[in-house]
Each structure stands twice: as structure tokens, then as C-alpha cells.
């Protein structure tokens, strides 16, 4: 158990500060999980989520079970939301929902997470967590942990909606809760009555900075979901009508992304050689989400009826390439620790595959070696991740089917991509090699990240707009991106916004035979 708890706080807590580590460990030491069913359920789910990152065979459901069963024997012991229906939700209920969602995202039915996260948000609203405390209220440890749980649930809800193409459960005007306090767990000073004061050293960046920056980015995503991906009635109510509404909306969203980047501190700027492991993990995830939001903003405008079609195509393609390199660098350095990376690899692979497919369909002599190499990177990441994450195998199959259309009769670039074999990845050393130790993470994971990543254009530094940077990069240098005709751009018009196999299968079936494009 100590082995899995150490993994959780090393590789999951930095992304979602759900628990107060000192209090959690003290409760474990006192055996509270053996007496309190609610806390015991939280512990079981901590073990379940951490099991996906352990190579200890004891985390499997049985000796003969595949690695995708890791953690299931802990997960199945928890009454998911049954008990909460009959009593007022507690902090533990909110934490349970978060952990259930994170575990479910790696299963063969990740869409279940959308339902559970909705339940969690409703629980939070029922007990008033979504509202700001009145002036003069003395903040307690439970207040802050409830606040963290609410923001994690909201972030998960909106990000899952991005991946599944579904509406978010809560709008920004429905809550006024302040962001979590920018203070690491070890600097909480907790009084006997539960009141808490925060004493983060001024010269030490908090790990919570990442989470708050991520929440601000997710706020932009929520606006994207509510406007660009809303039904026509909603757009009319928001005043998004008229001839130039697309340009105005995209301009405002690009401006919001620029403003967000201006506020990102240096320690969270993407640097593939960053030595601090926590900040390396956090910055990679932060910029991965940034590129995915950028793709979601511009993707709907890649059609022949939009004046933004060619610039949006350039921005989406380059954002997908940049995102692919960020994910690949993290994967080769420390592995993948959060489901977002798998969904990110899938959507990047889809965008790049569509670019290859459309280029081949148009008959243009494009230099597509880099695009093919990046698609293969995405496929490789998903294939290797499928050893631990059930959903990764499903995403890999979908991406392989779609990318095979565009890659037909194109030169083989396998030798040009530096990838490890799936078998080698499955045999990587465990993140916590000593199964019977509760010590810190092994030192080899705390060493500086090996070279091999890429730096990407930063509009906040260059002073250029997002469109300028990516359009310039797309039509210059060795990218060799050639403007495609209207027929090619129009291929994107009917492309699914979610990740349903049925939707993509229908889209492929209604598109010209890929063999006819050769």
C-alpha cells in the first residue's frame, strides 16, 4: 500500500491536488481507513489509480490477468455513488467522484467518466461548494480541500467534454468560487479547531500554480464549447450572428490565449530539458492542453464556407505537431501519467492524418515525411500505453485505421522516427522499484530530462499573434506545407468533433474510397 500511495503523490497529485498529503498520511498511520468506510473508500481508489503506474504484479486482478486490470481489485470494492444518494454529500464523496473519473478514463468505457463527473459536480453544488464564502469567514482545511475537489471536477468535466464532444454541466455564471490558495501542502498551518493559514515561501514556486493556470486555460475552453460548439440557438442568444461573427470570435479567443500565455510563469514554460521533475510534468501537460484548445478553436472553421479555412488549417496542423512533440518528449522521459496525454496523442494523430489524407487526395506533391513521422509517434505512444490503459488500445485502432488511408503508397519513414519497440516499453523499470518501501521516488526519475525534445514558438515572447506565429511557421522553413484546394479543405466539414468509433466509421464510409486517391 505504501508503494502505491507514494506513486499517487509523485505522479497524480501534481496534476490534481485533491488530497492534503500530511493529513492523508497521518490518517493512514492511525488506521482511520480501517474504521471509517468513507475514508477507506478514498484510500482504495488512490490505490486503484496509482496501480496503473506500477509494475508490481500484485496490483493485477489475478495472476493471469492483463496489465489493463491493474487496480480493478481495489476499484470494485467501492460503492461508487450508492451511499451518497441517501445522505448529504461530504468531502469524501467529492474526492471519490474525482478518483472514479480518473480511473474510468483508462477503461474500455471512458465515457462513463462524463456521467460520474456530472454527479460529482451536482454533489458540490448541493452542499454549496460552488459559492464564495462570506466576508470574515475563517477558512478551514476542509473548506480548502472542498474547493480543490470542486475545481478538479469542473476541470475534468470540461476537458472530458472536449474529448467527447458533449456539453459541460456548469456555466461560469453559475459559480463564484475563488481559485485554490497558492500554497503547497507542507506549508499549511492547521490549528486544533481546523482553521488554516498558508505560509508558502516567497522564493519557492508552489505546485498549485500549475493547477490555477490550468483552470484559467480550461475557462477559455468552456467558452469555446459554449460558443463555437453550441447549437445555433445558443449562438443567436450570445449575439454570434452576422457576416463576420467567425472572425470576431476567433480574434477574441486568440486574444484570450495570448493573455493567458502572458501570465504563465517561467517555471511552467515548456522546456524539454527542465530538471525539476514536478515542473517538467506540469509544464508538459499545461502546454499539451493549450495546443488542444487551440485546435478546438480553429478546427470548425476548416471548410470552404469560412474565410478562416486556410489559416485555421495551418494553425491546427502546427498545433498538432507541437503537441505531439510535447507528449512524445514526456513519454520518452518519464512515461505517461495522466489520461489526457492519450487523448491528446489521438487528436493530434487525427489532425495530422487528415492533413496527409487530404494532401494525397488533392494530388499535390507534398513533403509529408514529418507529418507521417509524427503520426507514427502518436500511434506508438497509444500502442505502448495500451499495455496499461484499455482505452489507449481502442484509440490506437481508430487512429491506425484513419491514418492508413492517408499513408497508402507513401514512402516508409519508420527508420526516420526514433521510437522504442512496444515490448521494450512494457519492460521499463517500475516508477517505484521497491515494492515494500514507502520512501521517495527513485533518484533516476529526479535527474534532468534527457535531450531530444523541441522548443516551440511562444507568441507571448515573440510579440506576435497566435495566427501570425503559426501561419508563419506553417508556410516557411522545412515544414513545406502547401495550400490545399477547396475540395481538400471541405473534407474537414463533416469530420466528427468527438471520438466515437461509430461517428468516425460513418465519416470514413461516406468519404471517397481512399484507394481512389492513389
Amino acid at each position: 500500500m505504501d508503494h502505491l500511495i507514494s506513486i499517487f503523490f509523485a505522479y497524480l497529485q501534481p496534476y490534481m491536488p485533491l488530497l492534503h498529503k500530511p493529513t492523508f498520511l497521518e490518517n493512514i498511520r492511525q488506521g482511520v481507513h480501517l474504521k471509517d468506510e468513507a475514508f477507506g473508500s478514498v484510500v482504495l481508489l488512490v490505490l486503484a489509480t496509482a496501480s496503473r503506474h506500477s509494475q508490481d504484479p500484485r496490483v493485477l486482478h489475478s495472476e493471469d490477468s492483463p496489465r489493463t486490470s491493474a487496480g480493478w481489485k481495489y476499484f470494485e470494492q467501492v460503492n461508487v455513488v450508492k451511499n451518497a444518494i441517501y445522505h448529504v454529500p461530504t468531502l469524501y464523496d467529492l474526492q471519490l467522484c474525482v478518483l472514479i473519473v480518473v480511473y474510468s478514463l483508462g477503461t474500455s468505457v471512458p465515457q462513463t467518466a462524463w456521467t460520474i463527473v456530472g454527479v460529482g459536480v451536482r454533489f458540490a453544488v448541493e452542499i454549496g461548494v460552488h459559492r464564495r464564502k462570506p466576508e470574515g469567514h475563517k477558512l478551514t482545511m476542509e473548506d480548502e480541500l472542498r474547493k480543490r475537489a470542486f475545481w478538479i471536477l469542473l476541470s475534468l468535466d470540461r476537458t472530458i467534454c472536449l474529448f467527447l464532444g458533449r456539453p459541460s454541466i456548469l456555466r461560469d455564471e453559475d459559480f463564484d468560487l475563488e481559485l485554490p490558495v497558492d500554497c503547497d501542502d507542507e506549508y499549511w498551518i492547521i490549528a486544533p479547531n481546523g482553521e488554516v493559514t498558508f505560509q508558502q515561501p516567497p522564493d519557492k514556486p508552489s505546485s498549485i500554480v500549475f493547477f490555477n493556470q490550468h483552470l484559467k486555460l480550461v475557462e477559455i475552453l468552456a467558452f469555446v464549447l459554449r460558443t463555437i460548439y453550441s447549437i445555433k440557438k445558443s449562438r443567436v442568444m450570445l449575439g454570434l450572428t452576422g457576416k463576420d461573427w467567425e472572425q470576431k470570435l476567433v480574434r477574441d479567443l486568440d486574444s484570450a490565449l495570448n493573455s493567458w500565455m502572458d501570465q504563465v510563469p517561467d517555471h511552467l514554460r515548456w522546456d524539454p530539458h527542465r530538471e525539476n521533475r514536478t515542473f517538467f510534468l506540469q509544464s508538459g501537460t499545461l502546454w499539451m492542453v493549450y495546443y488542444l484548445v487551440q485546435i478546438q478553436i480553429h478546427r470548425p472553421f476548416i471548410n470552404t464556407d469560412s474565410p478562416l479555412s486556410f489559416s485555421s488549417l495551418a494553425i491546427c496542423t502546427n498545433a498538432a505537431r507541437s503537441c505531439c512533440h510535447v507528449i512524445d518528449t514526456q513519454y520518452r522521459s518519464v512515461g505517461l501519467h495522466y489520461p489526457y496525454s492519450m487523448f491528446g496523442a489521438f487528436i493530434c494523430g487525427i489532425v495530422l492524418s487528415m492533413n496527409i489524407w487530404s494532401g494525397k487526395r488533392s494530388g499535390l506533391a507534398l513533403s509529408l515525411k514529418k507529418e507521417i513521422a509524427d503520426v507514427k509517434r502518436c500511434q506508438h505512444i497509444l500502442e505502448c500505453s495500451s499495455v496499461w490503459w484499455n482505452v489507449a488500445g481502442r484509440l490506437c485502432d481508430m487512429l491506425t485505421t484513419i491514418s492508413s488511408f492517408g499513408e497508402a503508397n507513401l514512402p516508409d519513414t519508420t527508420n526516420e522516427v526514433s521510437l522504442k519497440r512496444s515490448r521494450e516499453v512494457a519492460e521499463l523499470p517500475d516508477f517505484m522499484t521497491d515494492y515494500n518501501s514507502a520512501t521517495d521516488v527513485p533518484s533516476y526519475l529526479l535527474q534532468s530530462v534527457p535531450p531530444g525534445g523541441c522548443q516551440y514558438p511562444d507568441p507571448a515572447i515573440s510579440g506576435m499573434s497566435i495566427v501570425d506565429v503559426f501561419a508563419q511557421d506553417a508556410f516557411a522553413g522545412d515544414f513545406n506545407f502547401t495550400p490545399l484546394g477547396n475540395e481538400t479543405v471541405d473534407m474537414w466539414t463533416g469530420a466528427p468533433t468527438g471520438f466515437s468509433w461509430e461517428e468516425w466509421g460513418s465519416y470514413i464510409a461516406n468519404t471517397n474510397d481512399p484507394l481512389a486517391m492513389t
Side-chain angles (χ1 to χ4, degrees), residues 65-78:
S65 298
R67 296 191 69 93
T68 50
S69 71
W72 181 256
K73 66 180 182 181
Y74 306 118
F75 184 85
E76 66 179 353
Q77 297 182 53
V78 177

Side-chain angles (χ1 to χ4, degrees), residues 151-212:
W151 282 113
I152 295 171
L153 286 166
L154 191 68
S155 171
L156 286 169
D157 173 59
R158 292 174 172 181
T159 309
I160 291 171
C161 289
L162 180 154
F163 295 137
L164 297 182
R166 297 178 181 178
S168 179
I169 192 172
L170 211 60
R171 299 172 299 178
D172 286 338
E173 56 266 33
D174 294 330
F175 60 90
D176 61 354
L177 184 66
E178 64 273 12
L179 294 176
V181 176
D182 181 11
C183 183
D184 289 324
D185 292 354
E186 58 265 34
Y187 301 112
W188 290 26
I189 309 300
I190 304 173
N193 63 355
E195 291 184 14
V196 60
T197 55
F198 306 96
Q199 298 181 0
Q200 179 75 21
D203 58 342
K204 181 179 180 180
S206 165
S207 61
I208 307 299
V209 174
F210 154 80
F211 186 61
N212 288 340

